[in-house]
Amino acid sequence: MSFDHLQEAIIAKKNPTVAGLDARIEYVPQYIRDAAYAQHGVGLQGACEAIWQFNVGLIDALCDIVPAVKPQSAYYENLGWRGMEMLERTIAYAKSKGLFVIADIKRGDIGSTASAYAEGWLSAASIEGQAFKTFDADCVTLNGYMGADSINPFLKAAKGEDKCVFVLVKTSNPGSGELQNIPAGEGDTVYGVMSDLLEKWGAGTQGKYGYTMAGGVTGATHPQELREIRARMPHTFLLVPGYGAQGGTAEDVQYAFQDKGRGAIVNSSRGIMCAWQKTGGDGHDFQEAARNAAIAMRDDICRYITIE
Amino acid sequence: MSFDHLQEAIIAKKNPTVAGLDARIEYVPQYIRDAAYAQHGVGLQGACEAIWQFNVGLIDALCDIVPAVKPQSAYYENLGWRGMEMLERTIAYAKSKGLFVIADIKRGDIGSTASAYAEGWLSAASIEGQAFKTFDADCVTLNGYMGADSINPFLKAAKGEDKCVFVLVKTSNPGSGELQNIPAGEGDTVYGVMSDLLEKWGAGTQGKYGYTMAGGVTGATHPQELREIRARMPHTFLLVPGYGAQGGTAEDVQYAFQDKGRGAIVNSSRGIMCAWQKTGGDGHDFQEAARNAAIAMRDDICRYITIE
């Protein structure tokens, strides 16, 4: 599923947001945890089962509202191979519900190593000439510190599958400027140099909406930089973290979009997953709460942009 | 196992090298593959079993020669959750044989996400207040593009376990300069800025050999930069990829070391794992071939340095 597909899903649902699926056991209502522990014990297997039930519930509740979900690999790796097994199931389930799946893995390596990652996450492992799919996301996030060598193998795998990637440009964390805002190149910054590299790496892969297969990640928490990056990367689809819990507002994220509200998708994880914690209940309403939060986020952002 | 432990193992074995464990099915002798396929079929499970047998054989053959092994996560992820399960077993088995295990994961994320990675790879997942270890490596590789926010959670986890990390500085790939060699800061480069950040991030965590918990990755394929980085990062233990197949020589890597041959470890993956492909046999000699290659590499490097 390329950015053409993602853009179409955004237009169809009139919603440019992606719901994070951060598999933290603390986010799961206690009654779901207790049922899973009763069956599998308090431990890795029990936690995976509880999160799986929670993920399925979230996906069911959100799949007609949001165009995409973004599982964060760290929370699944945190639970070892059992977490990775549950991640494979979560990705497959989300896809079966028509959602575009961005695996937030932020991988970055080179040559045959990058190809191995790309096969595992986007295309298929090759064993004795046969192809075997595993994680099979629609899109992954990448770190380009190692240069084009670390991005091209993913673009190659993505091309064969009509998929796409997002590469970190200017991240949403408070300390992102420590390296990214250092003066670099000719009157530029490290993230500025990365912006130009990313437009170059993606060149020649534009789809019908004008976006290359190499999207960029730019945080909502730095609205000035977001405006600047949007202007200098006209062919780059943007993934925008940092809305909500991290402090980015709808007013801030409007600058990520181009004409007709195109070319960007805004992430919210805690704001949607943990919405049930703010209703005063014990979590039995987690689906309704997540759905209401997703609708509120959509409406909040759409006060500033019109999607056509 | 901190860099103190690693340095002591290097001194004890008089060998500053780490053997990569790149789990590629193409590297496994056919007779091992055939036996695994006969039991589990040609597929992900069969490939994992074949690589597991190969890894065990390599670890057995190398554990009294090399101080450390470095499984590359990409090749395990390539095989989905089954590969990750086999990676957990491989790390545990290598540790049981007294080897220091560097999980080459090059992760980079922020805040609670980075903590989740750090718990999974270095310390333990927390479920209902109980700790559950999974990957449990001695050390991981990291990407610092996102700044200290992406490194500190790992240093925190490492501190509690007496472990350590390596952060990418100047990588061994041909295109590493695309971002890393861009002029940055005041008459400096991006990798130079990263060098200084890394010394800063590690400050205050020095062990008895003088190295902080935050090591650096610097490729053997850029000997001039390696010399420069070694000089400007006196408290940083270095992991040096790029020896052998990628073109780095023993003469090149000598610049990674400080007095008494300390402060660095050089990686070889294909050169050791695939040594059997050069003996003219069918792979039944893979252990002897790997062992001989590891001894030859040790002796090659020790022509230029003396380890005390």
Side-chain angles (χ1 to χ4, degrees):
Chain A
M1 301 282 274
S2 67
F3 287 126
D4 284 348
H5 294 99
L6 179 58
Q7 186 61 68
E8 271 158 18
I10 290 170
I11 292 169
K13 290 176 178 165
K14 292 270 185 287
N15 188 0
T17 73
V18 48
L21 293 176
D22 293 2
R24 297 190 69 174
I25 191 69
E26 299 82 12
Y27 293 174
V28 181
Q30 194 65 48
Y31 78 94
I32 297 177
R33 293 193 229 174
D34 289 343
Y37 296 149
Q39 210 180 344
H40 301 283
V42 175
L44 298 164
Q45 194 66 40
C48 286
E49 177 61 21
I51 293 165
W52 164 249
Q53 296 295 341
F54 188 51
N55 279 352
V56 167
L58 288 170
I59 290 165
D60 287 347
L62 296 170
C63 65
D64 65 331
I65 303 291
V66 302
V69 289
K70 181 179 75 62
Q72 166 53 258
S73 186
Y75 297 105
Y76 300 84
E77 290 176 50
N78 184 267
L79 302 170
W81 68 264
R82 291 176 188 82
M84 300 307 270
E85 190 274 333
M86 191 257 295
L87 173 56
E88 280 191 35
R89 271 187 288 144
T90 296
I91 292 171
Y93 187 73
K95 286 168 70 179
S96 80
K97 292 287 174 175
L99 290 164
F100 182 93
V101 178
I102 302 166
D104 196 353
I105 59 175
K106 298 188 179 69
R107 299 298 191 261
D109 216 304
I110 54 172
S112 58
T113 305
S115 295
Y117 274 131
E119 290 168 9
W121 289 96
L122 293 178
S123 57
S126 173
I127 300 169
E128 309 300 332
Q130 296 177 48
F132 295 89
K133 285 179 178 288
T134 55
F135 296 111
D136 199 21
D138 295 311
C139 179
V140 293
T141 58
L142 301 176
N143 186 321
Y145 184 77
M146 298 176 89
D149 299 345
S150 63
I151 306 301
N152 286 336
F154 284 91
L155 292 179
K156 191 180 161 196
K159 198 170 287 184
E161 303 275 332
D162 197 20
K163 294 183 173 179
C164 49
V165 307
F166 284 110
V167 181
L168 300 182
V169 177
K170 171 67 182 166
T171 57
S172 61
N173 54 307
S176 66
E178 203 173 359
L179 181 76
Q180 296 162 26
N181 284 42
I182 293 281
E186 295 181 4
D188 208 346
T189 55
V190 169
Y191 76 78
V193 170
M194 184 63 90
S195 306
D196 291 350
L197 285 175
L198 190 47
E199 278 266 319
K200 191 176 83 174
W201 296 337
T205 65
Q206 283 155 261
K208 70 188 221 193
Y209 291 98
Y211 302 110
T212 75
M213 290 166 55
V217 178
T218 305
T221 49
H222 313 287
Q224 192 51 45
E225 281 113 334
L226 182 54
R227 277 172 105 142
E228 177 204 333
I229 288 167
R230 176 69 290 169
R232 81 189 274 179
M233 302 180 81
H235 311 100
T236 301
F237 203 98
L238 297 181
L239 170 63
V240 184
Y243 171 91
Q246 288 184 55
T249 66
E251 193 175 352
D252 296 333
V253 303
Q254 67 179 310
Y255 303 116
F257 295 91
Q258 292 182 312
D259 277 356
K260 304 184 180 178
R262 290 185 185 163
I265 191 159
V266 180
N267 182 71
S268 172
S269 300
R270 275 169 285 176
I272 294 173
M273 297 183 74
C274 300
W276 67 267
Q277 295 174 343
K278 296 187 175 172
T279 65
D282 65 357
H284 277 86
D285 61 343
F286 83 91
Q287 289 184 292
E288 191 190 347
R291 192 178 165 84
N292 289 341
I295 290 169
M297 177 177 170
R298 177 195 69 191
D299 294 347
D300 185 31
I301 291 173
C302 290
R303 287 189 297 135
Y304 294 90
I305 60 165
T306 303
I307 297 169
E308 293 169 42
Chain B
M1 303 280 274
S2 67
F3 287 126
D4 285 348
H5 294 99
L6 179 59
Q7 186 62 69
E8 272 158 18
I10 290 170
I11 292 169
K13 289 177 177 163
K14 292 269 186 288
N15 188 0
T17 72
V18 47
L21 292 176
D22 293 1
R24 296 190 68 174
I25 191 68
E26 299 82 12
Y27 292 174
V28 181
Q30 194 66 48
Y31 78 95
I32 297 175
R33 292 191 229 176
D34 289 343
Y37 297 149
Q39 211 181 340
H40 301 283
V42 175
L44 297 165
Q45 193 65 42
C48 285
E49 176 62 21
I51 293 164
W52 164 249
Q53 296 294 343
F54 187 51
N55 280 352
V56 166
L58 288 170
I59 290 166
D60 288 346
L62 296 170
C63 64
D64 66 331
I65 303 291
V66 302
V69 290
K70 182 177 75 61
Q72 165 54 256
S73 185
Y75 297 106
Y76 299 84
E77 290 176 50
N78 184 266
L79 301 170
W81 68 265
R82 292 176 188 82
M84 300 307 272
E85 189 274 333
M86 193 257 296
L87 173 56
E88 280 191 35
R89 272 188 284 145
T90 296
I91 292 172
Y93 187 73
K95 288 169 68 180
S96 79
K97 292 287 174 173
L99 290 164
F100 182 94
V101 178
I102 303 165
D104 196 352
I105 59 175
K106 296 188 180 69
R107 299 297 191 260
D109 217 304
I110 52 172
S112 58
T113 305
S115 295
Y117 274 131
E119 290 168 9
W121 289 96
L122 292 179
S123 57
S126 173
I127 300 170
E128 309 301 332
Q130 295 177 48
F132 295 89
K133 285 179 178 288
T134 54
F135 295 111
D136 198 21
D138 295 309
C139 180
V140 292
T141 59
L142 301 176
N143 186 322
Y145 185 76
M146 298 175 90
D149 298 344
S150 63
I151 307 300
N152 286 336
F154 283 91
L155 292 179
K156 190 180 163 199
K159 198 169 287 185
E161 304 274 331
D162 197 20
K163 295 182 174 182
C164 49
V165 308
F166 285 110
V167 181
L168 300 182
V169 178
K170 171 66 184 167
T171 57
S172 61
N173 54 307
S176 66
E178 202 173 359
L179 181 76
Q180 296 162 26
N181 283 43
I182 292 281
E186 295 183 3
D188 208 345
T189 56
V190 170
Y191 76 79
V193 171
M194 184 62 89
S195 305
D196 291 350
L197 286 174
L198 190 48
E199 277 266 319
K200 190 176 83 175
W201 295 337
T205 65
Q206 283 155 260
K208 70 187 222 194
Y209 291 98
Y211 302 110
T212 75
M213 290 166 56
V217 178
T218 306
T221 48
H222 313 287
Q224 191 51 45
E225 281 112 335
L226 181 55
R227 278 170 104 143
E228 176 204 334
I229 288 167
R230 176 69 289 171
R232 81 189 274 177
M233 303 180 80
H235 311 101
T236 301
F237 202 98
L238 297 181
L239 170 63
V240 185
Y243 171 90
Q246 286 184 56
T249 66
E251 194 176 350
D252 296 333
V253 302
Q254 67 179 308
Y255 303 117
F257 295 91
Q258 291 182 313
D259 277 356
K260 306 185 179 178
R262 289 184 186 163
I265 193 160
V266 181
N267 180 71
S268 172
S269 301
R270 274 169 287 176
I272 293 174
M273 298 184 74
C274 301
W276 66 269
Q277 294 174 343
K278 295 187 174 173
T279 65
D282 65 356
H284 276 85
D285 62 344
F286 84 90
Q287 289 183 292
E288 191 190 348
R291 192 176 165 85
N292 289 341
I295 291 170
M297 178 178 170
R298 177 194 70 190
D299 295 346
D300 184 31
I301 291 172
C302 290
R303 287 188 298 135
Y304 294 91
I305 61 165
T306 303
I307 298 170
E308 293 168 44

